[in-house]
Amino acid sequence: MKQHVDKSLRSVSKIAILGNYPPRRCGIATFTADLTNALLSGPTNPQVDVIAMSDESDYVYPEAVIREIPQQDIAAYRQAIAFLNDGSYDLLSVQHEYGIFGGETGRFLLTLLREAQIPIVTTLHTVLREPSPSQRAILAEILELSDRVIVMSERAVGILAKEYGLGSEKIDMVPHGIPDFNPIAGRVLRELLDVPGPMLLTFGLLSPGKGIEYVIRAMPAIVSRYPGLSYIVLGATHPHIKSASGETYRESLERLADSLGVAENVRFVNEFVTSAELGAYLGAADIYVSPYVDRNQITSGTLAYAVGAGKCVISTPYIYAEELLADGRGLIVPFRDPSAIAEAVVNIQENPQDGREMARRAAAHGATMHWPEVARLTMGSFDRAAQQHWSRHAASVTAYRVRSIIPTLSLEHVHALTNDTGIFQHATFTVPNRSEGYCVDDNARALMLTAYLADDRPLTPEMARAQALYLAFVCDALNPANGRFRNFMDYGHRWLEEAGSEDSHGRALWALGTLIGRCPIESYRGAACRAFEQGCDAVTATTSPRTWAYAVLAAQEILSTSPLHEKALALRDFLADRLLHQYCAFSTDRWKWFEDTLTYGNARLSQALIVAGRARGNQSMKNAGIESLTWLAQRQTADSGVFAPIGTHRYFSKQQAASPDDYSMFDQQPLEAWVSISAYLTAFDATADPFWLKEADRAYGWFLGDNMLGLPLYDSVSGGCRDGLHQDRANENQGAESTLAFLCASLEMRKAAGLVAAPAAMAL
């Protein structure tokens, strides 16, 4: 078992930073490199490694980059977090900008963050006041998964509070870092540039939206007063813009300058310059102009550099500029207003004392933004995140160490129940009962087991063959005549019905969705996707809330890696809304449930709402899932404190709620323990509340003998699981459902406890 230590008592000493990195050309790459160097130069001397996000270009990275993630390769995200979880890293620092991560609005990042077992600090380079639904949902989950959040402006704190309900206690304000600039380099460059009059400067990767055309339109009025003035536009065209449309934007600006008669006064420097070269240009400039046209711009490294260099700055009133240039540190002009830009330039030139005072105030403020100070503040945020993270999880880690000693798992009984058709549904003691044949329910569960085993690790040839076998059974179960999955097949390979139950249909879809979301074998995913799409239309006509829940969970598995899958997205949202409506219709102050009766597989209903609510950023839906699951957990705890699921002998109805003795606590089924464990762990992921880990531990103990009879259900000799707990004994038969429930529950618990998920003894 992994040894757990109290990490809350030590400082962060080994950091992984996730973001773009040079030679990739963008502001995030420059920022990540500067932050890395500043942290390495700090007094605590941490180890800092970079995981670089890569687009379609082939980059040769420096030694600081230990791993790269191709932006659209979902498997690489999983491999990266598996690497971090298995290493000795104290913390993951995420540099977030929607466009640098794969999937719709950067959704692939969530795949990595959801699996992280180390503290996370996310630095937000964009905070939108009016996000799209997708942007809102993704950022809401990022904020939830992060232990702390770093922003670069006070305005961002207010936006996060208003739009996402994020309290300031979780946020650290750390300014954008700037280097020290060499003033001598600026004087030398000024001579090399041969600028006879005042020099205006704008720099950064060139792309539409930077507003440079409005400065050029201001130039005739400026040049009429100062004929020797030059406007330097410094920066290469953004690589993505250049790839899509070449130099069209730059050429349009050049034509504009020529048409206005100021081509001799506007110079384009088509280069991606180093920080030292940029410092020289800033030193040479008299006025820096930041003419962005997007009011929502929440940070700007170029503006931060100009203020830090002590320049006179003219800017449009985007969010970051209004904050950074307050108190006389710069001039604000309206958006898209060339005449206002011209007037501001002339005023600075004609009132040099005012210009010097403006530059002095900018430089004084910039002194608080130098990289050593930014690194100190950042390390403070990292240490707070680590202390909070490990303190919050200390109780749950202790619970695992004391109670959940997960046994060495074996697939021998699964192997014994499986032939070349699929897995038999029943056994007499440990001997397969061939006369009862097969069912899609159990082959779907077996398929899910293989997906859990293979999650984020290579499949053995034996495992791949077993996965193909169960997948083939589920796909064959689909009746093309009605789009429904058949359930029962006899030993002679004859289907015994045209359509199985609604719930068996939902379970088949869930298994297919799980495979699609987790399997690394493309051909298997293709076969599963075809069957899923053929079978999902029939779900909308079903009436079982469990069927809806299984389909919601299936859809979300697919959306975790294919966020634009239209059928999965529509299915999840439609059925999650229906499930929430069902809960609101049946729940009362004393009966927090979806139906008038507690029957079987109950916790999956709550789990589906939690999963869908998190994915959609729907707090009401998530809260309903947590509320109902909390109520269910109370119903499933005996007076002695052990897990006691609703028995199948007689279910528990709303009318009996006032008299719990009116229903039977037996026969208790292994499936209920797995269902509850899975839902409890989902609730923990959504809330970080150790209560849910304790509940999962309580439910898992049921398998090992921590139940009302004190009898183990798990059979360490066969590797199977007994079929249930009667009032006076355990059911000694070890069928597929019970054994698969125990194994799937064990894998989920092992993953939550941070253990190795698939020991060699489990290979099929």
Side-chain angles (χ1 to χ4, degrees), residues 379-442:
M379 281 301 301
S381 179
F382 289 175
D383 284 337
R384 284 190 291 276
Q387 290 165 9
Q388 292 164 356
H389 178 93
W390 296 119
S391 296
R392 187 168 60 249
H393 292 281
S396 62
V397 171
T398 300
Y400 277 120
R401 184 171 66 243
V402 172
R403 295 192 53 182
S404 290
I405 303 174
I406 300 170
T408 301
L409 304 179
S410 168
L411 294 179
E412 287 302 314
H413 192 52
V414 172
H415 181 71
L417 290 173
T418 301
N419 66 3
D420 60 0
T421 299
I423 191 167
F424 290 109
Q425 56 179 325
H426 295 303
T428 304
F429 292 90
T430 61
V431 179
N433 185 340
R434 296 179 178 181
S435 66
E436 297 290 341
Y438 318 86
C439 67
V440 79
D441 281 334
D442 289 334

Side-chain angles (χ1 to χ4, degrees), residues 364-386:
H365 186 77
T368 67
M369 302 165 62
H370 289 145
W371 274 114
E373 175 63 9
V374 169
R376 184 187 70 81
L377 294 173
T378 301
M379 281 301 301
S381 179
F382 289 175
D383 284 337
R384 284 190 291 276

Side-chain angles (χ1 to χ4, degrees), residues 609-670:
L609 282 189
I610 297 169
V611 166
R614 290 187 72 191
R616 297 169 62 181
N618 187 327
Q619 194 66 32
S620 297
M621 182 173 287
K622 174 184 155 184
N623 288 345
I626 296 295
E627 179 182 69
S628 59
L629 189 62
T630 303
W631 182 84
L632 177 64
Q634 295 170 350
R635 307 282 87 70
Q636 295 188 148
T637 303
D639 291 341
S640 62
V642 299
F643 177 74
I646 304 300
T648 59
H649 181 69
R650 188 164 65 248
Y651 293 136
F652 184 33
S653 70
K654 182 187 288 188
Q655 289 72 28
Q656 297 165 339
S659 304
D661 292 339
D662 289 344
Y663 79 100
S664 172
M665 301 189 78
F666 299 96
D667 298 329
Q668 297 176 18
Q669 303 291 305

Side-chain angles (χ1 to χ4, degrees), residues 191-366:
E191 294 178 2
L192 292 175
L193 292 174
D194 190 24
V195 177
M199 174 177 162
L200 309 185
L201 175 68
T202 296
F203 74 87
L205 291 174
L206 203 62
S207 64
K210 295 296 180 71
I212 293 168
E213 57 268 35
Y214 299 104
V215 185
I216 294 175
R217 292 186 183 279
M219 287 296 289
I222 298 172
V223 171
S224 67
R225 298 288 297 272
Y226 302 97
L229 180 142
S230 295
Y231 176 39
I232 309 295
V233 181
L234 173 63
T237 299
H238 194 290
H240 292 170
I241 299 297
K242 188 172 182 179
S243 175
S245 55
E247 294 288 359
T248 303
Y249 180 59
R250 182 186 301 275
E251 291 167 357
S252 71
L253 296 176
E254 291 172 344
R255 289 194 299 272
L256 177 62
D258 185 62
S259 69
L260 294 174
V262 293
E264 295 298 319
N265 301 87
V266 180
R267 304 188 194 183
F268 293 90
V269 182
N270 189 2
E271 298 176 8
F272 187 86
V273 296
T274 65
S275 293
E277 291 170 329
L278 175 57
Y281 273 96
L282 280 169
D286 296 290
I287 300 172
Y288 182 78
V289 187
S290 181
Y292 289 172
V293 297
D294 181 6
R295 183 179 296 277
N296 291 319
Q297 186 87 19
I298 201 69
T299 187
S300 168
T302 59
L303 183 62
Y305 278 30
V307 169
K311 295 288 103 178
C312 290
V313 177
I314 299 170
S315 176
T316 50
Y318 54 92
I319 293 174
Y320 187 63
E322 287 185 320
E323 183 172 318
L324 193 59
L325 301 182
D327 301 325
R329 293 189 290 268
L331 293 179
I332 298 293
V333 297
F335 291 109
R336 301 178 177 86
D337 192 336
S339 61
I341 294 173
E343 182 179 350
V345 171
V346 171
N347 283 341
I348 290 174
Q349 290 302 116
E350 291 185 349
N351 298 280
Q353 183 60 37
D354 292 345
R356 284 191 291 271
E357 176 60 19
M358 184 192 307
R360 184 195 67 76
R361 292 181 180 184
H365 186 77

Side-chain angles (χ1 to χ4, degrees), residues 95-123:
Q95 304 305 313
H96 181 259
E97 171 69 59
Y98 291 105
I100 73 173
F101 299 104
E104 180 194 13
T105 5
R107 186 179 295 272
F108 285 0
L109 173 63
L110 298 178
T111 301
L112 184 151
L113 298 184
R114 289 167 182 157
E115 301 296 327
Q117 297 173 8
I118 57 176
I120 299 169
V121 176
T122 299
T123 298

